[in-house]
């Protein structure tokens, strides 16, 4: 039986590590030191494959000179940091997709609401033009890829929609129109989803930026292509109550 061979009738060696089973290829390590080494590598890289591989070559690593071991340790640290930064960046990208879905839904609903209310005699033309222009600006800002600019444009669109909703309240025929009511409810629901998605996105960006800007991430982030991300901020203007003019 080889030194890494499995003993007859024996279950694979495993250790508990942060609530997860640490399996080592179903093999029985020859020493506790190798298990500890594997657990260290797994904690650093988050990869069982890397940990298992390094355990299998641990005897070879012990024959390396001190400078070789130091270089190996640095390599493990860089791999670990890279994996964590990639995971954080992927969480940001996933959170942004959730916002993007809701923004596109809002873009689709707005023209329908504008069409539903513009036939009302006396309805403020400037309000409808403001909503249409704000929607176009938000779409263009989204295509630019500038998160800060898009956040500003989207919040201007939110403000214009609130003004539109406030003006609709001044027209009894619109308030009782089923189509208008349904569109308002859909837009309100979408606005709420945008708010929830914004919170999740900003939390993901905060965690990512902390990884990029704090030690040890700041030592490698720039060289590995990881840069600070912008928040999708909600301005104070969202708290302002729209003014309705009936003149």
């Amino acid at each position: 039986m080889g030194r890494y061979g499995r003993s007859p009738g024996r279950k694979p060696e495993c250790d508990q590590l942060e609530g997860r089973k640490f399996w080592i290829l179903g093999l029985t390590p020859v020493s506790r030191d190798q298990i500890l080494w594997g657990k260290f590598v797994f904690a650093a890289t988050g990869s069982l494959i890397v940990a298992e591989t390094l355990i299998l070559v641990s005897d070879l690593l012990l024959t390396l000179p001190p400078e070789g071991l130091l270089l190996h340790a640095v390599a493990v640290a860089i791999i670990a940091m890279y994996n964590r930064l990639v995971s954080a960046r992927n969480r940001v990208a996933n959170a942004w997709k959730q916002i993007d879905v809701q923004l596109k839904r809002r873009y689709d609903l707005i023209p329908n609401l504008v069409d539903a209310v513009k036939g009302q005699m006396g309805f403020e033309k400037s309000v409808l033009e403001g909503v249409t222009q704000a929607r176009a600006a938000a779409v263009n800002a989204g295509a630019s890829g500038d998160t800060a600019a898009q956040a500003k444009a989207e919040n201007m669109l939110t403000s214009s929609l609130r003004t539109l909703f406030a003006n609709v309240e001044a027209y009894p025929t619109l308030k009782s129109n089923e189509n208008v009511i349904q569109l308002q409810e859909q837009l309100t629901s979408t606005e709420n989803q945008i708010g929830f998605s914004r919170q999740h996105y900003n939390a993901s960006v905060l965690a990512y930026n902390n990884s990029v800007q704090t030690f040890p991430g700041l030592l490698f982030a720039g060289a590995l292509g990881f840069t600070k991300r912008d928040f999708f901020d909600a301005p104070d203007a969202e708290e302002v109550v729209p003014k309705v003019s009936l003149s």
Side-chain angles (χ1 to χ4, degrees):
M1 181 70 66
R3 67 188 307 183
Y4 288 99
R6 182 184 299 177
S7 301
R10 181 169 179 170
K11 294 182 179 181
E13 183 74 26
C14 68
D15 280 329
Q16 192 71 22
L17 179 64
E18 297 179 359
R20 294 181 59 177
K21 293 283 179 101
F22 180 74
W23 294 85
I24 308 173
L25 294 176
L27 307 175
T28 304
V30 296
S31 70
R32 181 64 181 175
D33 289 342
Q34 287 178 310
I35 296 179
L36 294 176
W37 170 246
K39 291 174 70 175
F40 166 75
V41 174
F42 175 60
T45 65
S47 172
L48 283 175
I49 295 176
V50 174
E52 292 164 353
T53 302
L54 290 178
I55 284 175
L56 293 178
V57 299
S58 58
D59 285 344
L60 175 61
L61 293 175
L62 292 176
T63 66
L64 294 176
E67 59 271 19
L69 289 175
L70 177 60
L71 289 174
H72 178 75
V74 171
V76 170
I78 293 176
I79 292 172
M81 183 54 57
Y82 179 79
N83 288 344
R84 290 177 179 176
L85 289 173
V86 168
S87 296
R89 183 174 64 186
N90 288 344
R91 284 192 290 271
V92 171
N94 181 65
W96 177 254
K97 288 180 180 178
Q98 296 178 39
I99 290 181
D100 195 44
V101 167
Q102 300 302 327
L103 294 179
K104 289 179 178 178
R105 173 174 169 76
R106 180 163 71 169
Y107 298 156
D108 292 339
L109 289 172
I110 288 173
N112 295 333
L113 180 61
V114 171
D115 288 340
V117 302
K118 70 180 181 180
Q120 175 67 39
M121 183 175 298
F123 196 86
E124 288 79 358
K125 182 179 179 181
S126 61
V127 174
L128 299 181
E129 290 178 344
V131 171
T132 301
Q133 292 171 2
R135 176 186 178 277
V139 172
N140 292 335
S144 70
D146 186 335
T147 303
Q150 184 173 5
K152 182 178 179 180
E154 294 293 346
N155 287 308
M156 290 296 294
L157 177 55
T158 297
S159 178
S160 66
L161 280 173
R162 291 182 177 183
T163 300
L164 174 59
F165 287 173
N167 277 270
V168 166
E169 292 298 313
Y171 293 84
T173 55
L174 290 179
K175 288 174 61 178
S176 61
N177 186 294
E178 289 296 328
N179 187 34
V180 172
I181 293 173
Q182 185 178 32
L183 288 169
Q184 281 187 295
E185 290 177 348
Q186 290 176 352
L187 277 166
T188 299
S189 175
T190 302
E191 292 288 346
N192 292 335
Q193 290 299 321
I194 291 173
F196 296 142
S197 297
R198 177 193 283 115
Q199 292 177 2
H200 176 56
Y201 174 78
N202 286 341
S204 299
V205 169
L206 177 61
Y208 169 79
N209 286 345
N210 286 341
S211 297
V212 170
Q213 296 177 308
T214 59
F215 184 86
L218 60 87
L219 298 178
F220 311 110
L224 296 175
F226 296 91
T227 57
K228 179 178 177 292
R229 300 291 292 268
D230 291 326
F231 292 99
F232 196 79
D233 290 323
D236 296 337
E238 281 196 4
E239 304 300 327
V240 177
V241 178
K243 295 181 179 180
V244 181
S245 174
L246 300 179
S247 58

